[in-house]
Amino acid sequence: MTPSPWSGLLRGVAAGAAGTTALNAVTTLDVAVRGRPTSDAPEQVVAALADRAGVEVTERRLAALAPLAGAATGVGVGAAAGALRAAGLRLPTAVGGPLLGLAAMVASDGPIALLGVSDPRRWTAQDWVTDAVPHLVYGMTTHAALVAALPDPGPPPRAATLLRAAALGAASGSRSTAGAAAVAFTSSRADRGVAGRAGGRGAGVLAGVLSAGEAVADKLPSTPSRTAPPGLLPRAALGAGSAAAVARRDGDDATLAGVVGLGAALGAAVLGVRTRAAAARRFGSDLPGAVAEDVLAALLGWLGARRR
């Protein structure tokens, strides 16, 4: 049975609490072994936030609120990870653990930098190690607790599925309709999920017309930049949706495929702009690069959506 997002969130809270306990234990052990002073950055962050809010906080309350803020950060990251895992995003420990540690590190160090408490750019290598190791322990502990609380309901997506998702995402990042059109051209009404609804002759004709229109509009000087929100957001959504639709159609996990498609769409959109600019400088015209991108988007869409 697939757990609900709320169940995942609650189990993530417990996993985050376990990770926070491990982080605090490692930090305390480091202080005891090296005899270094404890960091007052958490208290300074709370004091800065209170000052901006116009609230007066006594030193005793600062001493109590700082650990609570740290615990809230750890529990919050764990809760988010639990909800994502319940939704189907399952990463191996070698990847998920460090990513959770990095997320907690950003959540902790971000306010320190933004509020001017400390400048991470001036930290020494030892400072970074002192900060990174406990957060890595947090990430590994939290991920292990999540795996125990939310075991995998099935095998992870195959590498081929993720490569196809990346191809569809990149196609959508280059031409927003390329991925969706490829899904429509290669699917039928008998397929599962969105692919089945997008399949059929009518959907294929519509997808072809939209793709042709975009190919023409892409070369007009008045067309806005694809990296602006109106151009980037549809590419991201269609890249994720196309990748997830094909994964579901083929019986694979759609969540991680959608995430890969989203990332590939964003990356291809930005990279495409830079590549087109370089080609325009090389050939003295934007047309050669634009046509090459048309062909590449169509090829990537076909590779990502073709039937196995």
Side-chain angles (χ1 to χ4, degrees), residues 156-218:
R158 291 169 287 187
T161 299
L162 300 183
L163 288 174
R164 287 154 63 86
L168 282 167
S172 301
S174 301
R175 297 289 179 271
S176 62
T177 55
V183 175
F185 292 150
T186 59
S187 300
S188 69
R189 293 291 185 185
D191 288 321
R192 288 177 289 188
V194 176
R197 293 192 290 274
R201 181 176 299 177
V205 170
L206 178 61
V209 171
L210 292 175
S211 295
E214 183 181 13
V216 173
D218 174 76

Short mmCIF file of all heavy atoms in Angstrom, two decimals, residues 156-218:
data_model
loop_
_atom_site.label_atom_id
_atom_site.label_comp_id
_atom_site.label_asym_id
_atom_site.label_seq_id
_atom_site.Cartn_x
_atom_site.Cartn_y
_atom_site.Cartn_z
N PRO A 156 13.41 0.55 -7.88
CA PRO A 156 13.59 1.93 -8.35
C PRO A 156 13.51 2.00 -9.87
O PRO A 156 13.63 0.98 -10.55
CB PRO A 156 15.00 2.28 -7.84
CG PRO A 156 15.70 0.97 -7.75
CD PRO A 156 14.65 -0.03 -7.35
N PRO A 157 13.30 3.18 -10.41
CA PRO A 157 13.23 3.31 -11.87
C PRO A 157 14.52 2.83 -12.52
O PRO A 157 15.61 3.02 -11.99
CB PRO A 157 13.04 4.82 -12.08
CG PRO A 157 12.51 5.33 -10.79
CD PRO A 157 13.09 4.46 -9.73
N ARG A 158 14.38 2.21 -13.68
CA ARG A 158 15.56 1.76 -14.41
C ARG A 158 16.32 2.94 -14.98
O ARG A 158 15.75 4.01 -15.22
CB ARG A 158 15.12 0.81 -15.52
CG ARG A 158 14.60 -0.52 -15.01
CD ARG A 158 13.94 -1.30 -16.11
NE ARG A 158 12.64 -0.72 -16.46
CZ ARG A 158 11.78 -1.28 -17.30
NH1 ARG A 158 12.09 -2.42 -17.86
NH2 ARG A 158 10.63 -0.71 -17.55
N ALA A 159 17.62 2.73 -15.20
CA ALA A 159 18.44 3.80 -15.74
C ALA A 159 17.90 4.26 -17.10
O ALA A 159 17.92 5.45 -17.42
CB ALA A 159 19.89 3.33 -15.87
N ALA A 160 17.41 3.31 -17.89
CA ALA A 160 16.87 3.66 -19.21
C ALA A 160 15.68 4.60 -19.08
O ALA A 160 15.50 5.51 -19.89
CB ALA A 160 16.48 2.40 -19.97
N THR A 161 14.86 4.39 -18.05
CA THR A 161 13.70 5.26 -17.83
C THR A 161 14.14 6.68 -17.54
O THR A 161 13.55 7.65 -18.06
CB THR A 161 12.86 4.72 -16.66
OG1 THR A 161 12.39 3.41 -16.98
CG2 THR A 161 11.67 5.63 -16.39
N LEU A 162 15.16 6.83 -16.73
CA LEU A 162 15.63 8.17 -16.38
C LEU A 162 16.32 8.84 -17.57
O LEU A 162 16.22 10.06 -17.74
CB LEU A 162 16.58 8.09 -15.18
CG LEU A 162 15.97 7.50 -13.91
CD1 LEU A 162 16.96 7.54 -12.76
CD2 LEU A 162 14.69 8.24 -13.52
N LEU A 163 17.01 8.06 -18.39
CA LEU A 163 17.62 8.63 -19.60
C LEU A 163 16.54 9.11 -20.56
O LEU A 163 16.67 10.18 -21.18
CB LEU A 163 18.52 7.60 -20.27
CG LEU A 163 19.83 7.27 -19.56
CD1 LEU A 163 20.55 6.12 -20.26
CD2 LEU A 163 20.73 8.50 -19.50
N ARG A 164 15.48 8.33 -20.69
CA ARG A 164 14.37 8.75 -21.55
C ARG A 164 13.70 10.01 -20.99
O ARG A 164 13.31 10.91 -21.74
CB ARG A 164 13.36 7.61 -21.67
CG ARG A 164 13.84 6.46 -22.55
CD ARG A 164 13.19 5.14 -22.17
NE ARG A 164 11.76 5.14 -22.36
CZ ARG A 164 11.15 4.84 -23.51
NH1 ARG A 164 11.89 4.53 -24.57
NH2 ARG A 164 9.85 4.83 -23.61
N ALA A 165 13.59 10.06 -19.68
CA ALA A 165 13.01 11.25 -19.05
C ALA A 165 13.87 12.48 -19.31
O ALA A 165 13.36 13.57 -19.59
CB ALA A 165 12.86 11.02 -17.54
N ALA A 166 15.19 12.29 -19.23
CA ALA A 166 16.09 13.41 -19.49
C ALA A 166 15.98 13.87 -20.95
O ALA A 166 16.01 15.07 -21.24
CB ALA A 166 17.53 13.00 -19.17
N ALA A 167 15.84 12.92 -21.87
CA ALA A 167 15.70 13.28 -23.28
C ALA A 167 14.42 14.07 -23.52
O ALA A 167 14.42 15.09 -24.23
CB ALA A 167 15.72 12.01 -24.14
N LEU A 168 13.32 13.62 -22.93
CA LEU A 168 12.05 14.35 -23.09
C LEU A 168 12.12 15.73 -22.45
O LEU A 168 11.59 16.70 -23.00
CB LEU A 168 10.91 13.54 -22.48
CG LEU A 168 10.41 12.37 -23.34
CD1 LEU A 168 9.51 11.46 -22.52
CD2 LEU A 168 9.66 12.89 -24.56
N GLY A 169 12.76 15.81 -21.29
CA GLY A 169 12.90 17.11 -20.65
C GLY A 169 13.74 18.06 -21.49
O GLY A 169 13.40 19.23 -21.66
N ALA A 170 14.85 17.55 -22.03
CA ALA A 170 15.71 18.39 -22.86
C ALA A 170 14.99 18.83 -24.13
O ALA A 170 15.14 19.96 -24.59
CB ALA A 170 16.99 17.64 -23.21
N ALA A 171 14.18 17.92 -24.70
CA ALA A 171 13.40 18.29 -25.88
C ALA A 171 12.43 19.42 -25.56
O ALA A 171 12.29 20.38 -26.33
CB ALA A 171 12.65 17.07 -26.40
N SER A 172 11.78 19.32 -24.41
CA SER A 172 10.82 20.36 -24.00
C SER A 172 11.52 21.67 -23.67
O SER A 172 10.97 22.75 -23.89
CB SER A 172 10.02 19.88 -22.79
OG SER A 172 9.32 18.69 -23.09
N GLY A 173 12.73 21.58 -23.13
CA GLY A 173 13.48 22.80 -22.85
C GLY A 173 13.89 23.52 -24.12
O GLY A 173 13.99 24.75 -24.14
N SER A 174 14.12 22.76 -25.19
CA SER A 174 14.49 23.36 -26.47
C SER A 174 13.26 23.90 -27.20
O SER A 174 13.26 25.03 -27.69
CB SER A 174 15.20 22.32 -27.34
OG SER A 174 16.37 21.84 -26.70
N ARG A 175 12.24 23.08 -27.30
CA ARG A 175 10.95 23.47 -27.90
C ARG A 175 9.87 22.98 -26.95
O ARG A 175 9.73 21.77 -26.75
CB ARG A 175 10.76 22.85 -29.29
CG ARG A 175 11.76 23.28 -30.32
CD ARG A 175 11.54 24.73 -30.75
NE ARG A 175 12.54 25.13 -31.73
CZ ARG A 175 13.73 25.65 -31.43
NH1 ARG A 175 14.05 25.82 -30.15
NH2 ARG A 175 14.57 25.99 -32.37
N SER A 176 9.12 23.88 -26.39
CA SER A 176 8.22 23.52 -25.30
C SER A 176 7.24 22.41 -25.68
O SER A 176 6.84 21.61 -24.83
CB SER A 176 7.45 24.76 -24.83
OG SER A 176 6.65 25.29 -25.88
N THR A 177 6.85 22.34 -26.95
CA THR A 177 5.87 21.33 -27.36
C THR A 177 6.50 20.02 -27.82
O THR A 177 5.78 19.06 -28.09
CB THR A 177 5.01 21.88 -28.52
OG1 THR A 177 5.87 22.30 -29.59
CG2 THR A 177 4.17 23.06 -28.06
N ALA A 178 7.83 19.97 -27.90
CA ALA A 178 8.48 18.80 -28.49
C ALA A 178 8.23 17.53 -27.69
O ALA A 178 7.92 16.47 -28.26
CB ALA A 178 9.98 19.04 -28.64
N GLY A 179 8.37 17.60 -26.38
CA GLY A 179 8.16 16.41 -25.56
C GLY A 179 6.73 15.94 -25.59
O GLY A 179 6.45 14.75 -25.77
N ALA A 180 5.79 16.88 -25.43
CA ALA A 180 4.37 16.51 -25.44
C ALA A 180 3.96 15.96 -26.80
O ALA A 180 3.17 15.01 -26.89
CB ALA A 180 3.52 17.73 -25.08
N ALA A 181 4.49 16.56 -27.87
CA ALA A 181 4.17 16.06 -29.21
C ALA A 181 4.69 14.64 -29.41
O ALA A 181 4.01 13.79 -29.99
CB ALA A 181 4.76 17.00 -30.27
N ALA A 182 5.90 14.37 -28.90
CA ALA A 182 6.46 13.03 -29.03
C ALA A 182 5.61 12.01 -28.29
O ALA A 182 5.40 10.89 -28.77
CB ALA A 182 7.89 13.02 -28.50
N VAL A 183 5.10 12.39 -27.12
CA VAL A 183 4.22 11.49 -26.38
C VAL A 183 2.95 11.22 -27.18
O VAL A 183 2.48 10.08 -27.28
CB VAL A 183 3.87 12.09 -25.00
CG1 VAL A 183 2.86 11.21 -24.27
CG2 VAL A 183 5.13 12.24 -24.15
N ALA A 184 2.37 12.26 -27.77
CA ALA A 184 1.14 12.09 -28.55
C ALA A 184 1.38 11.21 -29.77
O ALA A 184 0.54 10.36 -30.11
CB ALA A 184 0.62 13.46 -28.97
N PHE A 185 2.51 11.38 -30.44
CA PHE A 185 2.79 10.62 -31.65
C PHE A 185 3.04 9.14 -31.37
O PHE A 185 2.79 8.29 -32.24
CB PHE A 185 4.01 11.19 -32.37
CG PHE A 185 3.79 12.55 -32.97
CD1 PHE A 185 4.83 13.45 -33.08
CD2 PHE A 185 2.53 12.95 -33.40
CE1 PHE A 185 4.63 14.71 -33.63
CE2 PHE A 185 2.31 14.20 -33.95
CZ PHE A 185 3.37 15.09 -34.06
N THR A 186 3.55 8.82 -30.18
CA THR A 186 3.95 7.43 -29.90
C THR A 186 2.97 6.70 -28.98
O THR A 186 3.22 5.54 -28.64
CB THR A 186 5.34 7.41 -29.24
OG1 THR A 186 5.32 8.17 -28.03
CG2 THR A 186 6.40 7.99 -30.18
N SER A 187 1.90 7.35 -28.58
CA SER A 187 0.95 6.73 -27.64
C SER A 187 -0.37 6.42 -28.34
O SER A 187 -0.66 6.92 -29.42
CB SER A 187 0.71 7.65 -26.45
OG SER A 187 1.91 7.92 -25.75
N SER A 188 -1.16 5.59 -27.67
CA SER A 188 -2.48 5.24 -28.19
C SER A 188 -3.49 5.34 -27.06
O SER A 188 -3.13 5.46 -25.88
CB SER A 188 -2.47 3.82 -28.75
OG SER A 188 -2.31 2.87 -27.71
N ARG A 189 -4.75 5.26 -27.41
CA ARG A 189 -5.81 5.35 -26.42
C ARG A 189 -5.77 4.22 -25.41
O ARG A 189 -6.33 4.33 -24.32
CB ARG A 189 -7.18 5.34 -27.13
CG ARG A 189 -7.44 6.56 -27.99
CD ARG A 189 -7.63 7.79 -27.15
NE ARG A 189 -7.99 8.96 -27.94
CZ ARG A 189 -8.13 10.17 -27.45
NH1 ARG A 189 -7.92 10.38 -26.16
NH2 ARG A 189 -8.44 11.18 -28.23
N ALA A 190 -5.11 3.13 -25.76
CA ALA A 190 -5.06 1.98 -24.86
C ALA A 190 -4.00 2.13 -23.78
O ALA A 190 -3.95 1.32 -22.85
CB ALA A 190 -4.78 0.71 -25.67
N ASP A 191 -3.17 3.15 -23.87
CA ASP A 191 -2.10 3.32 -22.90
C ASP A 191 -2.63 3.86 -21.57
O ASP A 191 -3.70 4.47 -21.51
CB ASP A 191 -1.03 4.28 -23.44
CG ASP A 191 -0.21 3.65 -24.55
OD1 ASP A 191 0.11 2.45 -24.43
OD2 ASP A 191 0.10 4.35 -25.53
N ARG A 192 -1.82 3.67 -20.53
CA ARG A 192 -2.22 4.11 -19.20
C ARG A 192 -1.95 5.60 -19.00
O ARG A 192 -1.04 6.16 -19.60
CB ARG A 192 -1.44 3.33 -18.14
CG ARG A 192 -1.87 1.90 -18.01
CD ARG A 192 -1.02 1.17 -16.99
NE ARG A 192 0.33 0.94 -17.50
CZ ARG A 192 1.24 0.20 -16.89
NH1 ARG A 192 0.95 -0.35 -15.73
NH2 ARG A 192 2.43 0.02 -17.42
N GLY A 193 -2.75 6.21 -18.14
CA GLY A 193 -2.49 7.56 -17.69
C GLY A 193 -2.65 8.62 -18.76
O GLY A 193 -3.44 8.50 -19.71
N VAL A 194 -1.87 9.68 -18.61
CA VAL A 194 -1.96 10.83 -19.51
C VAL A 194 -1.61 10.45 -20.93
O VAL A 194 -2.19 10.98 -21.89
CB VAL A 194 -1.02 11.95 -19.01
CG1 VAL A 194 -1.01 13.13 -19.98
CG2 VAL A 194 -1.46 12.43 -17.63
N ALA A 195 -0.68 9.51 -21.11
CA ALA A 195 -0.29 9.11 -22.46
C ALA A 195 -1.48 8.57 -23.23
O ALA A 195 -1.63 8.83 -24.44
CB ALA A 195 0.82 8.06 -22.39
N GLY A 196 -2.36 7.82 -22.55
CA GLY A 196 -3.54 7.30 -23.21
C GLY A 196 -4.49 8.40 -23.64
O GLY A 196 -5.09 8.34 -24.72
N ARG A 197 -4.61 9.43 -22.81
CA ARG A 197 -5.50 10.54 -23.17
C ARG A 197 -4.89 11.42 -24.26
O ARG A 197 -5.60 12.09 -25.00
CB ARG A 197 -5.81 11.38 -21.93
CG ARG A 197 -6.64 10.62 -20.89
CD ARG A 197 -7.17 11.55 -19.82
NE ARG A 197 -6.11 12.03 -18.94
CZ ARG A 197 -5.68 11.37 -17.87
NH1 ARG A 197 -6.20 10.19 -17.57
NH2 ARG A 197 -4.74 11.87 -17.10
N ALA A 198 -3.55 11.43 -24.33
CA ALA A 198 -2.88 12.25 -25.35
C ALA A 198 -2.73 11.52 -26.66
O ALA A 198 -2.39 12.13 -27.68
CB ALA A 198 -1.50 12.68 -24.84
N GLY A 199 -2.93 10.19 -26.66
CA GLY A 199 -2.78 9.42 -27.88
C GLY A 199 -3.97 9.57 -28.81
O GLY A 199 -4.99 10.15 -28.47
N GLY A 200 -3.82 9.07 -30.00
CA GLY A 200 -4.91 9.16 -30.97
C GLY A 200 -4.59 10.13 -32.09
O GLY A 200 -3.72 11.00 -31.97
N ARG A 201 -5.33 9.99 -33.19
CA ARG A 201 -5.04 10.80 -34.38
C ARG A 201 -5.28 12.28 -34.13
O ARG A 201 -4.48 13.13 -34.52
CB ARG A 201 -5.90 10.32 -35.54
CG ARG A 201 -5.67 11.08 -36.83
CD ARG A 201 -6.46 10.49 -37.97
NE ARG A 201 -6.08 9.10 -38.22
CZ ARG A 201 -6.67 8.34 -39.13
NH1 ARG A 201 -7.68 8.81 -39.85
NH2 ARG A 201 -6.25 7.09 -39.31
N GLY A 202 -6.38 12.61 -33.47
CA GLY A 202 -6.69 14.02 -33.25
C GLY A 202 -5.64 14.73 -32.42
O GLY A 202 -5.20 15.83 -32.76
N ALA A 203 -5.21 14.07 -31.34
CA ALA A 203 -4.18 14.67 -30.50
C ALA A 203 -2.86 14.79 -31.25
O ALA A 203 -2.12 15.78 -31.10
CB ALA A 203 -3.99 13.83 -29.24
N GLY A 204 -2.56 13.81 -32.10
CA GLY A 204 -1.33 13.86 -32.87
C GLY A 204 -1.32 15.02 -33.86
O GLY A 204 -0.31 15.71 -34.03
N VAL A 205 -2.47 15.23 -34.52
CA VAL A 205 -2.57 16.35 -35.47
C VAL A 205 -2.41 17.68 -34.74
O VAL A 205 -1.68 18.57 -35.19
CB VAL A 205 -3.91 16.30 -36.22
CG1 VAL A 205 -4.12 17.58 -37.03
CG2 VAL A 205 -3.96 15.08 -37.13
N LEU A 206 -3.09 17.82 -33.61
CA LEU A 206 -2.98 19.06 -32.83
C LEU A 206 -1.55 19.29 -32.37
O LEU A 206 -1.03 20.41 -32.46
CB LEU A 206 -3.92 18.99 -31.63
CG LEU A 206 -3.88 20.20 -30.68
CD1 LEU A 206 -4.27 21.47 -31.41
CD2 LEU A 206 -4.79 19.96 -29.47
N ALA A 207 -0.89 18.23 -31.90
CA ALA A 207 0.49 18.36 -31.45
C ALA A 207 1.40 18.77 -32.60
O ALA A 207 2.31 19.60 -32.44
CB ALA A 207 0.97 17.04 -30.85
N GLY A 208 1.16 18.21 -33.78
CA GLY A 208 1.97 18.57 -34.93
C GLY A 208 1.80 20.02 -35.33
O GLY A 208 2.78 20.72 -35.64
N VAL A 209 0.56 20.50 -35.29
CA VAL A 209 0.30 21.91 -35.64
C VAL A 209 0.96 22.84 -34.63
O VAL A 209 1.60 23.84 -35.01
CB VAL A 209 -1.22 22.16 -35.69
CG1 VAL A 209 -1.51 23.66 -35.82
CG2 VAL A 209 -1.85 21.41 -36.85
N LEU A 210 0.83 22.52 -33.35
CA LEU A 210 1.44 23.36 -32.32
C LEU A 210 2.97 23.36 -32.43
O LEU A 210 3.61 24.40 -32.26
CB LEU A 210 1.02 22.88 -30.93
CG LEU A 210 -0.45 23.08 -30.57
CD1 LEU A 210 -0.76 22.44 -29.21
CD2 LEU A 210 -0.80 24.56 -30.55
N SER A 211 3.54 22.21 -32.72
CA SER A 211 5.00 22.13 -32.85
C SER A 211 5.49 22.94 -34.05
O SER A 211 6.50 23.64 -33.96
CB SER A 211 5.43 20.67 -33.00
OG SER A 211 5.14 19.94 -31.83
N ALA A 212 4.76 22.84 -35.16
CA ALA A 212 5.14 23.61 -36.34
C ALA A 212 5.03 25.11 -36.07
O ALA A 212 5.90 25.90 -36.47
CB ALA A 212 4.27 23.21 -37.53
N GLY A 213 3.96 25.49 -35.38
CA GLY A 213 3.79 26.91 -35.06
C GLY A 213 4.90 27.41 -34.15
O GLY A 213 5.41 28.54 -34.34
N GLU A 214 5.30 26.59 -33.19
CA GLU A 214 6.38 27.02 -32.29
C GLU A 214 7.70 27.12 -33.04
O GLU A 214 8.50 28.02 -32.79
CB GLU A 214 6.52 26.05 -31.12
CG GLU A 214 7.58 26.51 -30.13
CD GLU A 214 7.78 25.56 -28.96
OE1 GLU A 214 7.28 24.42 -29.03
OE2 GLU A 214 8.43 25.95 -27.98
N ALA A 215 7.94 26.19 -33.97
CA ALA A 215 9.18 26.23 -34.75
C ALA A 215 9.29 27.52 -35.55
O ALA A 215 10.38 28.10 -35.69
CB ALA A 215 9.26 25.02 -35.67
N VAL A 216 8.16 28.00 -36.05
CA VAL A 216 8.16 29.26 -36.80
C VAL A 216 8.32 30.44 -35.84
O VAL A 216 9.15 31.34 -36.06
CB VAL A 216 6.86 29.41 -37.61
CG1 VAL A 216 6.77 30.80 -38.24
CG2 VAL A 216 6.78 28.33 -38.68
N ALA A 217 7.54 30.45 -34.76
CA ALA A 217 7.58 31.57 -33.82
C ALA A 217 8.94 31.70 -33.15
O ALA A 217 9.38 32.81 -32.83
CB ALA A 217 6.50 31.38 -32.75
N ASP A 218 9.63 30.59 -32.98
CA ASP A 218 10.93 30.61 -32.32
C ASP A 218 11.94 31.48 -33.07
O ASP A 218 12.86 32.03 -32.46
CB ASP A 218 11.46 29.18 -32.19
CG ASP A 218 12.87 29.13 -31.65
OD1 ASP A 218 13.05 29.32 -30.44
OD2 ASP A 218 13.80 28.92 -32.46
#
